[in-house]
Amino acid sequence: MKEKLITEFEKTFGAGGNIIACFAPGRVNLIGEHTDYNGGHVFPCALTVGTYLIARQREDELLRFYSANFEKDGIVEANVDTKEPLPNDAWINYPLGVMWAFGQKGHSLKKGYDLYYFGNIPNGAGLSSSASIEVVTGVMLNETMGCGYSNEDLAKIGQFSENEFNGVACGIMDQFAVAMGKEDCAIYLDTATLEYSYVPLNMKGYKIVIGNTNKRRGLNDSKYNERRAECEAALEAVRKVKDVPNLCSLKEVEVKKLREAFGNDILFRRAIHAASEDDRCEKAVKALENGDLITFGGLMNQSHLSLQRDYEVTGKELDTLVLSAWQIAGAIGSRMTGAGFGGCAVSIVKEDVVESFIKTVGERYEKEIGYAADFYVVSAGKGAGVI
Ligand code: GLA
């Protein structure tokens, strides 16, 4: 892959000079959804698919971007000190944001780059193609400018760039999973402290199957920021009666006791989700460590119901995929993953029924929704780096 992409880079930008190749994976979150901006736990793993970046520093201040995924855009140019995102949600806003963020942290770009991107994560599927682009850009800048950042630093810079440059109030989960992934492991991350541990994915004859609704969604225009604001309002309401650091520090029973404090049912239900999901995440990790995949799967199912009923981020497409998955013997857990409102569902499926699972769920989905879903059988890969 690397050699092929370097050849493509040279065809696009010419040969010679010091060419660097980097990779950052995509991610799938197994459980712990919409908890990362509520001080809770998440349990994502990096995928083996991701974004490749081939780059070479220039002598001037020009940035020349090319994406093999958006061939028709051709080479897009920008200057190293771009301070605002370009209009029309251009994909180069993600790398531009990271370059801007490096500048904010004291590492302004003095020279430009020729940059060739290629991603094999399905675009806009909710498998963190944007975090992957951010982190791969960070890896390249860190290496070529000698900044000495750790991968954890690069995750934080990626999130900072997405929050401040691109205006999406995302949490740290995606960039962290992409930067810090480990082969055959998921990451149990406490988003309040950034303490984490790797948990081996002992799948015992089961596979992780991702179903893509193929419903396009952009975090920007979705209700993501609205949910985050609701959680902030819920926390503020609780704090009038109880001193708490964040929503996930509450247990579900405590949220129920404090019902009156929320003032309205929506804020109460958002808080119920945050508290109960954090609890499920902890229980699921314990179950996996004990080799109890069935319990893990059951918690995934409960997670989906909570995201559907209390957090209201699923929608017809995701519910159809997940409800169809629940009907299949051998599928022991299924839930939406990522921001929601479209994107993907993740299921744990017995190896010997994977094929029929994909066929049956795919047929039901197409019949209900009117267009096809895509399915990927994935495994956990390693985090970002120079390749
Ligand atoms: C998106 C965000 C993450 C996280 C998930 C929901 O992927 O980028 O930070 O909030 O949604 O769990």
Side-chain angles (χ1 to χ4, degrees):
M1 179 67 93
K2 180 178 159 184
E3 284 66 34
K4 183 175 162 267
L5 293 175
I6 290 177
T7 307
E8 291 302 317
F9 172 93
E10 289 175 334
K11 273 194 216 154
T12 312
F13 294 113
N18 287 331
I19 295 174
I20 177 174
C22 309
F23 173 76
R27 69 94 187 89
V28 62
N29 188 26
L30 299 175
I31 195 159
E33 212 67 82
H34 286 280
T35 48
D36 68 342
Y37 50 87
N38 286 311
H41 294 81
V42 292
F43 195 50
C45 59
L47 300 171
T48 52
V49 289
T51 312
Y52 293 83
L53 168 58
I54 315 294
R56 179 177 58 204
Q57 212 158 22
R58 296 174 55 86
E59 287 309 318
D60 57 14
E61 295 185 350
L62 191 63
L63 296 167
R64 295 202 297 167
F65 294 92
Y66 181 85
S67 167
N69 299 76
F70 299 103
E71 276 177 349
K72 63 171 179 12
D73 289 358
I75 295 174
V76 184
E77 295 189 354
N79 195 274
V80 284
D81 66 356
T82 304
K83 291 181 184 67
E84 301 268 324
L86 306 183
N88 305 327
D89 287 338
W91 72 270
I92 71 164
N93 285 334
Y94 293 109
L96 282 176
V98 174
M99 290 165 181
W100 169 85
F102 266 65
Q104 295 293 301
K105 308 273 172 203
H107 294 283
S108 300
L109 275 67
K110 303 279 180 291
K111 290 179 179 173
Y113 290 91
D114 290 332
L115 303 137
Y116 182 100
Y117 288 81
F118 167 70
N120 53 7
I121 314 171
N123 223 332
L127 300 175
S128 289
S129 53
S130 47
S132 175
I133 294 175
E134 287 159 9
V135 173
V136 81
T137 304
V139 168
M140 187 282 297
L141 293 174
N142 191 34
E143 187 71 18
T144 54
M145 302 202 302
C147 306
Y149 288 129
S150 65
N151 270 28
E152 193 173 324
D153 296 331
L154 295 178
K156 290 182 198 158
I157 292 173
Q159 183 203 15
F160 174 73
S161 77
E162 189 149 343
N163 292 168
E164 304 300 325
F165 188 87
N166 279 306
V168 182
C170 66
I172 188 68
M173 170 171 75
D174 301 349
Q175 290 82 1
F176 199 95
V178 163
M180 303 292 288
K182 187 173 169 182
E183 231 169 331
D184 296 324
C185 288
I187 310 173
Y188 185 42
L189 171 69
D190 179 341
T191 62
T193 60
L194 292 194
E195 272 170 40
Y196 65 96
S197 58
Y198 293 111
V199 182
L201 285 172
N202 287 328
M203 297 304 290
K204 297 175 156 182
Y206 286 84
K207 292 279 181 196
I208 301 172
V209 182
I210 294 177
N212 183 355
T213 59
N214 283 327
K215 179 187 180 189
R216 289 306 300 247
R217 47 121 236 149
L219 274 185
N220 256 327
D221 45 64
S222 74
K223 289 184 171 287
Y224 184 87
N225 286 353
E226 183 184 300
R227 285 294 173 279
R228 191 163 175 160
E230 286 165 352
C231 287
E232 274 157 25
L235 181 61
E236 206 177 303
V238 176
R239 280 184 172 158
K240 291 200 176 115
V241 292
K242 194 176 163 81
D243 188 20
V244 287
N246 54 57
L247 281 186
C248 287
S249 65
L250 290 164
K251 294 276 165 226
E252 190 177 344
V253 284
E254 291 176 292
V255 176
K256 284 184 177 153
K257 272 192 211 144
L258 295 169
R259 184 164 193 155
E260 292 301 308
F262 293 101
N264 74 57
D265 187 55
I266 291 186
L267 298 192
F268 168 70
R269 285 189 290 120
R270 305 302 187 240
I272 285 281
H273 170 74
S276 64
E277 181 72 358
D278 197 46
D279 189 44
R280 280 186 290 274
C281 186
E282 191 188 333
K283 285 186 178 138
V285 171
K286 280 201 186 118
L288 186 66
E289 282 170 340
N290 293 333
D292 181 0
L293 270 183
I294 301 289
T295 299
F296 190 94
L299 289 159
M300 288 174 76
N301 297 348
Q302 287 174 31
S303 165
H304 185 84
L305 286 174
S306 179
L307 288 155
Q308 179 193 32
R309 294 174 186 167
D310 288 329
Y311 215 67
E312 297 178 284
V313 291
T314 58
K316 189 168 182 231
E317 296 81 3
L318 281 168
D319 289 336
T320 302
L321 265 190
V322 169
L323 265 61
S324 312
W326 287 352
Q327 322 262 308
I328 311 281
I332 55 171
S334 185
R335 57 180 286 276
M336 59 148 272
T337 181
F341 315 104
C344 288
V346 56
S347 307
I348 308 285
V349 185
K350 206 160 198 223
E351 212 166 334
D352 52 11
V353 304
V354 166
E355 214 173 292
S356 61
F357 171 90
I358 292 174
K359 187 169 179 289
T360 312
V361 174
E363 280 168 5
R364 281 189 197 156
Y365 183 83
E366 193 162 354
K367 193 163 162 239
E368 280 285 313
I369 303 296
Y371 54 84
D374 284 320
F375 294 88
Y376 327 105
V377 182
V378 301
S379 44
K382 58 178 188 298
V386 175
I387 51 171

